[in-house]
Amino acid sequence: MTRRPAPPPDAVFAEMLRAARELLAVRSPLDAELIVSEMLGTWWGKRLAHDDVEKVIGEALVDHAATARTPAALALLTGISALGTPRQAAKAERAALPLMEAGVARPGWADRVGMVVCEECHVSRDVYGDQDSIVCIYTYGGEERHALVVVIDHNERGMVVDAWVSSQVEKLLGYCRKEAEENPLMRFEPIPAATARARLERALAVADDTEDPPVKETFGNYHAFVRARVRALPPGGRSPVPPVYGHDRRATMAAQFLASDEAEELSDRSAASRCVDRIIDYGCDRDFGRPLRVSPVKCEMFLLHWLPRKVMLSPEEQEAMPHVLAAWVRWASRRTGLPEEGVRQTLDKVWDITGKFAEAYRDPTTFGLDRELVQRLLPDGDLEALARRAFAFPFLTGGNADIDLTRLNPSVDADRRLLLRFEHPDADPAHIEAHLRLAARIWDGDPPQLWTVAERLLDRGHDRHSILHRFMAILRDTDGDPRALRAALLALRDAPDLS
């Protein structure tokens, strides 16, 4: 039976209500909203195994404030009605009514909180396409003009990574305009408010859905404020739709590059062909369908983070990759019109990190693993999958009179059954099928928590057999519900034992 997590003890909520007394001392609705946003940000980014943290903690805070019946409690409820989630806001409005009817004093800013209008929106961006800073200007009925700045990082799947508020609007806009005038690698442009909303909604959703998102430490303090300000923007805008790059389109692009002047000096044409395929795949699959976009940051993430973690390269490809990437930078920049200074900085970064790439990339065969065995486990070249697939199918050599393990393909269901039957010779067919369903999920990393939780349990001393059987029970109990499966795995991760 799934246990519902208890909300935090009342002492925590009581402390938050004491902190809410600060709301009674401020006169500005902007100051009040920032205080409430910081309070609501206390639990942003946290994950609960069996429920939504906003529901368990945020709505419980509303319930606690409703029973306090103090001016600070009413001030907090008023702020939550403007900044909370839709459920929290509706609940806070209902909870505030009895307090007002009972004569509890309202704060002076109560009638203006959340009542903002957007005057204009801009985007400050670099020519590489690494980051956008969305700048939205708001007022409360023409007063208290302020700017919200939200940073979107396109090297982090397009998520929001930082936000802040400034009341010095003209100074901020002047700085952005001057930077764009003096720096050939920066741009500052107006954008429609509806477009700003569409971009911000998408970027917020990515951050909200990411476990441990790489945001600035203070972002949680502004999260509720950003969410509310985005709701104040007009709807109807559209985020850019990534173009679709199928196999033929990718192959055509690779052929055009290999026939170009920039690729003429690449000596190993076979290795270069395979390397450029990796570069194009990264841009299409990891960079929103933008294989031609190049930047110092993107090249560094590709060479030092993605390739060493995700791709099985031959020794020839390891040697060729930095040279192919540099040629790609020159070729792609010519097609996109990247300023010469941007090209120079990107090429400098590629050569600066070439030595680090040789250190970062570790061919698993250098650790004593047989290359043929590695290739059987990684037919797709996904290096990140090696450990979890070896966990799913640890017996791939040897055999017995009936089964030659060296001839079996662990990526094919029929051969997987034989591998599992070898490991469990006395198991009935139903048990083998249960193992097969689990092994297929571990092989695919579906969901990723299967392997991350298995690693945690192995580190705590649990044996592989016990972990697999506990996972099989969870798969049976959750009956194909992905949310319930992830929740059960997170609960097992934090549980003291496997029971």
Side-chain angles (χ1 to χ4, degrees):
M1 180 178 177
T2 299
R3 294 174 295 177
R4 180 182 176 85
D10 285 349
V12 174
F13 291 141
E15 179 60 33
M16 296 185 79
L17 277 183
R18 282 192 289 273
R21 294 172 185 170
E22 184 180 357
L23 293 168
L24 304 178
V26 301
R27 302 177 61 182
S28 162
L30 176 60
D31 291 339
E33 289 182 55
L34 290 173
I35 293 171
V36 173
S37 180
E38 184 174 354
M39 296 178 69
L40 296 179
T42 303
W43 57 82
W44 181 80
K46 304 293 190 298
R47 296 290 188 270
L48 296 178
H50 296 292
D51 218 327
D52 177 10
V53 68
E54 295 284 4
K55 181 178 179 181
V56 173
I57 302 179
E59 295 179 25
L61 174 61
V62 173
D63 291 336
H64 188 87
T67 63
R69 305 180 71 82
T70 64
L74 180 55
L76 179 58
L77 291 171
T78 303
I80 294 175
S81 69
L83 296 175
T85 66
R87 284 175 58 97
Q88 291 168 359
K91 194 168 187 177
E93 285 184 1
R94 291 193 299 269
L97 287 175
L99 274 65
M100 289 188 289
E101 291 172 354
V104 176
R106 298 178 71 208
W109 44 260
D111 290 332
R112 294 196 296 156
V113 67
M115 303 298 290
V116 294
V117 175
C118 179
E119 286 189 343
E120 56 191 280
C121 293
H122 305 264
V123 59
S124 175
R125 61 180 181 84
D126 59 72
V127 296
Y128 300 117
D130 284 331
Q131 284 193 342
D132 294 341
S133 293
I134 306 292
V135 182
C136 298
I137 312 301
Y138 299 88
T139 68
Y140 295 88
E143 300 179 352
E144 292 199 64
R145 196 166 183 242
H146 56 280
L148 170 65
V149 183
V150 183
V151 181
I152 299 173
D153 192 331
H154 296 292
N155 290 306
E156 294 291 353
R157 298 188 298 119
M159 74 172 66
V160 171
V161 294
D162 195 10
W164 68 91
V165 176
S166 174
S167 59
Q168 298 182 340
V169 175
E170 290 305 324
K171 183 177 180 179
L172 172 66
L173 294 177
Y175 171 82
C176 293
R177 293 188 182 105
K178 183 177 180 181
E179 183 183 37
E181 291 171 359
E182 297 179 352
N183 186 342
L185 302 181
M186 291 299 298
R187 302 288 185 268
F188 186 63
E189 304 155 341
I191 58 172
T195 300
R197 175 171 178 160
R199 293 186 186 180
L200 291 171
E201 283 180 334
R202 185 197 174 284
L204 269 178
V206 176
D208 289 342
D209 292 341
T210 300
E211 193 168 340
D212 298 323
V215 299
K216 191 171 181 180
E217 185 176 347
T218 56
F219 174 68
N221 297 342
Y222 291 97
H223 178 265
F225 186 90
V226 172
R227 181 176 58 200
R229 285 298 185 268
V230 171
R231 290 197 297 254
L233 297 172
R238 292 185 179 181
S239 292
V241 178
V244 177
Y245 281 82
H247 177 270
D248 290 346
R249 191 175 180 186
R250 297 184 192 199
T252 299
M253 182 176 291
Q256 290 172 341
F257 164 72
L258 292 170
S260 69
D261 293 341
E262 288 82 0
E264 186 176 3
E265 295 183 3
L266 298 174
S267 56
D268 188 336
R269 305 296 288 182
S270 178
S273 177
R274 296 191 296 273
C275 287
V276 76
D277 286 343
R278 299 296 188 184
I279 294 170
I280 292 173
D281 288 345
Y282 181 79
C284 293
D285 300 334
R286 302 285 298 180
D287 193 25
F288 307 100
R290 299 186 294 176
L292 295 176
R293 188 182 82 82
V294 296
S295 78
V297 174
K298 182 179 177 180
C299 288
E300 181 173 359
M301 293 186 71
F302 173 72
L303 276 182
L304 300 188
H305 301 283
W306 189 74
L307 279 178
R309 187 168 53 88
K310 295 291 291 182
V311 179
M312 179 77 172
L313 296 176
S314 69
E316 295 77 16
E317 291 163 358
Q318 295 172 44
E319 175 68 25
M321 182 59 80
H323 302 278
V324 177
L325 181 58
W328 178 266
V329 167
R330 292 191 291 269
W331 182 77
S333 298
R334 178 165 56 85
R335 294 167 68 95
T336 60
L338 183 67
E340 190 61 35
E341 177 63 17
V343 178
R344 185 190 65 76
Q345 290 188 14
T346 305
L347 288 172
D348 285 348
K349 174 60 70 172
V350 171
W351 298 126
D352 285 346
I353 62 177
T354 293
K356 294 180 180 178
F357 170 66
E359 297 173 3
Y361 191 89
R362 287 291 181 266
D363 187 330
T365 61
T366 63
F367 301 133
L369 296 176
D370 179 71
R371 179 169 290 275
E372 187 274 336
L373 180 63
V374 171
Q375 289 173 341
R376 288 166 68 196
L377 288 168
L378 304 178
D380 53 0
D382 184 358
L383 266 181
E384 193 175 41
L386 181 60
R388 72 169 189 265
R389 291 176 180 175
F391 177 77
F393 298 106
F395 302 103
L396 294 174
T397 59
N400 56 29
D402 299 318
I403 301 176
D404 181 1
L405 298 179
T406 61
R407 301 175 64 87
L408 299 181
N409 183 350
S411 66
V412 176
D413 273 356
D415 286 2
R416 286 173 174 176
R417 286 189 179 88
L418 294 175
L419 289 167
L420 293 169
R421 193 176 301 158
F422 175 84
E423 186 179 356
H424 307 278
D426 299 324
D428 59 53
H431 191 72
I432 293 294
E433 290 302 309
H435 269 289
L436 179 63
R437 288 191 293 272
L438 174 61
R441 281 182 170 272
I442 294 174
W443 180 277
D444 293 335
D446 177 29
Q449 289 83 3
L450 274 171
W451 176 235
T452 57
V453 173
E455 287 184 299
R456 179 77 66 90
L457 297 175
L458 289 168
D459 289 342
R460 281 160 47 184
H462 296 291
D463 64 89
R464 173 178 172 272
H465 180 267
S466 300
I467 295 171
L468 291 176
H469 278 255
R470 186 69 187 93
F471 283 176
M472 288 159 60
I474 289 175
L475 284 178
R476 182 190 65 239
D477 294 343
T478 54
D479 193 28
D481 182 342
R483 184 182 179 91
L485 174 57
R486 288 192 295 270
L489 289 170
L490 290 175
L492 178 61
R493 179 195 66 184
D494 300 327
D497 54 50
L498 292 180
S499 60

